[in-house]
Amino acid sequence: WWSYPDAVTGLHSAARFCSRAGQLLQSPARESHAFALVLVEIPNEETAPAAASAITSQLRSTDPVARIDRDLFAVAVLVAPGRPRDEAVEDRLGGAVRGALEWLSPVRTTHVRAEPGDRRDVDELLRAAIAALPGRVTGSGGAPWRGAGGSAAWLPFP
């Protein structure tokens, strides 16, 4: 469950996401670039394929993305100085998903930012982002690879 691609969306596994996001955090570009971890919460698992397509259409091929819970996607991006801020990335991803779902369903987003020199790892940033989603109930939906009852907030990140 940890290493296989998501069967519903075809996105990389949570393990691959954590690995690629960790590589971004350790890249030489981090000396001048900020790191943003964006979460996109969708209404239900049935909307996941459309949401995944909308999210990936807004990203570079090097930006890691994964479905980390039945209704939650995580995206990691480097934000270059002078480029649109992480708030703009969050807004763009949320808008793309809302558009793909025809604005009929609630879509929530949040992000955390790690400035150059910030030493937090992917696990810490992901937990902070999940905590920033108001009303997010951990343990409710279950991670897609575990079945009902789990939570992305309790993933065994290395």
Side-chain angles (χ1 to χ4, degrees):
W1 57 267
W2 179 246
S3 59
Y4 295 109
D6 180 46
V8 174
T9 63
L11 293 176
H12 290 295
S13 67
R16 173 101 181 191
F17 171 80
C18 290
S19 174
R20 290 184 62 204
Q23 290 171 355
L24 282 180
L25 278 170
Q26 300 300 320
S27 74
R30 285 277 292 133
E31 291 179 20
S32 60
H33 291 58
F35 175 91
L37 193 140
V38 180
L39 295 183
V40 178
E41 183 182 57
I42 58 174
N44 54 49
E45 188 170 18
E46 290 75 32
T47 60
S53 179
I55 290 169
T56 57
S57 73
Q58 299 298 309
L59 299 174
R60 300 169 290 215
S61 61
T62 57
D63 297 330
V65 59
R67 188 169 70 125
I68 59 168
D69 205 347
R70 291 190 185 283
D71 62 348
L72 192 62
F73 291 87
V75 177
V77 295
L78 287 181
V79 182
R83 302 294 299 178
R85 305 238 345 136
D86 36 319
E87 293 88 357
V89 173
E90 177 186 340
D91 291 343
R92 189 178 74 230
L93 293 174
V97 173
R98 287 181 190 97
L101 301 182
E102 300 178 2
W103 304 90
L104 299 176
S105 303
V107 173
R108 299 189 313 156
T109 61
T110 191
H111 76 278
V112 292
R113 180 181 177 94
E115 296 291 344
D118 188 327
R119 297 292 173 218
R120 290 179 290 175
D121 62 19
V122 176
D123 183 34
E124 292 171 298
L125 293 169
L126 185 56
R127 288 177 193 273
I130 289 170
L133 269 175
R136 178 90 184 159
V137 179
T138 60
S140 63
W145 47 85
R146 285 198 212 157
S151 170
W154 302 107
L155 289 174
F157 291 117

